[in-house]
Amino acid sequence: MRIVWIGSWIVSVALLATVDCKPRTLTEVPMPDYKSFRHVKSGLLLKGDADDLLTGIHHVYANDAAVEALRNRSDFPEDSVLVFDLFEPLDTPEGYKEGAHKFTAVMHKHSSFKSTGGWGYEAFLPDGKRVVSDANKMCFECHKSVESQGYVFTNAGMSE
Ligand code: HEC
């Protein structure tokens, strides 16, 4: 009798755990703790190279899930997070250096963001203010051009 009771208890706990794992809905992209992420690459875009908004020194960071996908060139799993952190370019005699922090752009893969290719887009100002009012127009329309790479531009520069 006792064995049967323990058995059904285990089944109930397992069922509860299943219910608990129901996917959560995201209404907005959370600000990630990206300084603990893996640095993937950096780049310098000067006036004329790109839209003024994107000019500067940028660093791309990825969380573990996104690093694995980049490394294996596989699909990005749920909760993959990529960051594009941008600074003004300071032209000094010793070369370009990081100036003022412009913004931190974030892509968060989640089924809640179906209308923008399964990625949520947000950009945070240094004071934490959100700036994306229309992710489709401000971000997705450009990232759509790399649909074959899962809407992610960064596909190289990962050291093995
Ligand atoms: C005009 C085109 C364009 C627009 C608009 C744009 N991006 Fe990007 N984005 C790029 C390019 C190009 C890169 C790759 C930079 C590199 O290779 O160093 C990039 C990189 C990124 C990355 C790093 C992952 C990746 O795809 O390589 C994130 C995160 C990102 N952008 C978020 C955003 C967000 C959020 C917005 C809207 C606020 C946005 N982007 C708008 C062109 C764009």
Side-chain angles (χ1 to χ4, degrees):
M1 263 328 258
R2 176 169 284 239
I3 289 168
V4 170
W5 186 84
I6 290 174
S8 63
W9 183 80
I10 289 171
V11 169
S12 335
V13 169
L15 278 174
L16 272 177
T18 315
V19 170
D20 237 28
C21 286
K22 221 169 54 186
R24 72 201 195 288
T25 307
L26 288 184
T27 49
E28 54 183 23
V29 172
M31 175 60 165
D33 174 24
Y34 66 97
K35 292 290 174 171
S36 65
F37 286 8
R38 166 82 179 258
H39 171 246
V40 179
K41 69 181 288 196
S42 294
L44 173 65
L45 293 169
L46 297 175
K47 238 180 160 47
D49 291 340
D51 190 294
D52 273 0
L53 190 74
L54 298 175
T55 58
I57 296 174
H58 64 260
H59 309 291
V60 175
Y61 300 92
N63 70 353
D64 288 347
V67 165
E68 278 310 297
L70 284 169
R71 192 174 273 146
N72 303 327
R73 304 200 191 295
S74 55
D75 290 345
F76 290 91
E78 192 89 333
D79 287 316
S80 292
V81 181
L82 289 158
V83 168
F84 175 100
D85 207 19
L86 183 65
F87 296 81
E88 296 282 2
L90 268 190
D91 190 1
T92 78
E94 295 87 42
Y96 281 99
K97 294 205 167 131
E98 283 178 7
H101 194 187
K102 285 175 86 173
F103 60 78
T104 304
V106 180
M107 289 170 68
H108 190 127
K109 182 91 188 249
H110 200 275
S111 52
S112 305
F113 305 114
K114 284 199 178 65
S115 64
T116 44
W119 288 97
Y121 292 83
E122 186 57 270
F124 298 89
L125 295 179
D127 66 2
K129 219 173 132 210
R130 292 170 181 269
V131 293
V132 173
S133 51
D134 186 337
N136 193 38
K137 279 211 175 73
M138 294 167 77
C139 317
F140 186 51
E141 277 191 358
C142 188
H143 277 256
K144 246 188 211 162
S145 62
V146 282
E147 184 179 351
S148 60
Q149 293 174 192
Y151 306 105
V152 172
F153 283 97
T154 299
N155 67 344
M158 291 290 303
S159 49
E160 295 307 319

